[in-house]
Amino acid sequence: MQVLVIARVKAGISIDRVLPLVSAEAAQVWEFCTVEQIRQMYYIADMSGAVMLWEGESVESVTQETQKLPMVKEGILTCEVLPLKSYTGYASLFVKK
């Protein structure tokens, strides 16, 4: 199943707490990418966090995997985990009126 994860830096966290973990965070994300758990990843434009498209067995399994991210472990990031399903709205284009 595909799952959207929105990871945001918690309010009040200083950049001084974030910067030391950037390399470790990138290394963990790379590991998830190499085993095709994370399919796509983007920064949020204001750099307040990231958006990731995950592949997983369930929302719960993806949630467990996000707990392995160093910035989540250190209480710097919060992750919103949203299950996705295919968009079916295109079917309305073909309904006879």
Side-chain angles (χ1 to χ4, degrees), residues 25-77:
E25 189 81 4
Q28 182 61 64
V29 167
W30 176 248
E31 289 298 317
F32 288 137
C33 289
T34 62
V35 296
E36 299 183 352
Q37 282 181 283
I38 294 179
R39 298 294 187 141
Q40 295 180 42
M41 183 165 179
Y42 301 91
Y43 280 123
I44 297 170
D46 66 2
M47 301 300 285
S48 63
V51 177
M52 298 165 274
L53 183 61
W54 285 66
E55 198 69 42
E57 301 240 345
S58 65
V59 171
E60 293 76 20
S61 69
V62 171
T63 300
Q64 282 183 324
E65 292 298 285
T66 65
Q67 300 304 306
K68 296 177 182 177
L69 295 167
M71 289 188 199
V72 172
K73 286 181 184 177
E74 290 297 319
I76 292 170
L77 289 180

Side-chain angles (χ1 to χ4, degrees), residues 71-88:
M71 289 188 199
V72 172
K73 286 181 184 177
E74 290 297 319
I76 292 170
L77 289 180
T78 60
C79 292
E80 183 177 4
V81 181
L82 305 165
L84 301 176
K85 69 178 194 170
S86 296
Y87 177 71
T88 57

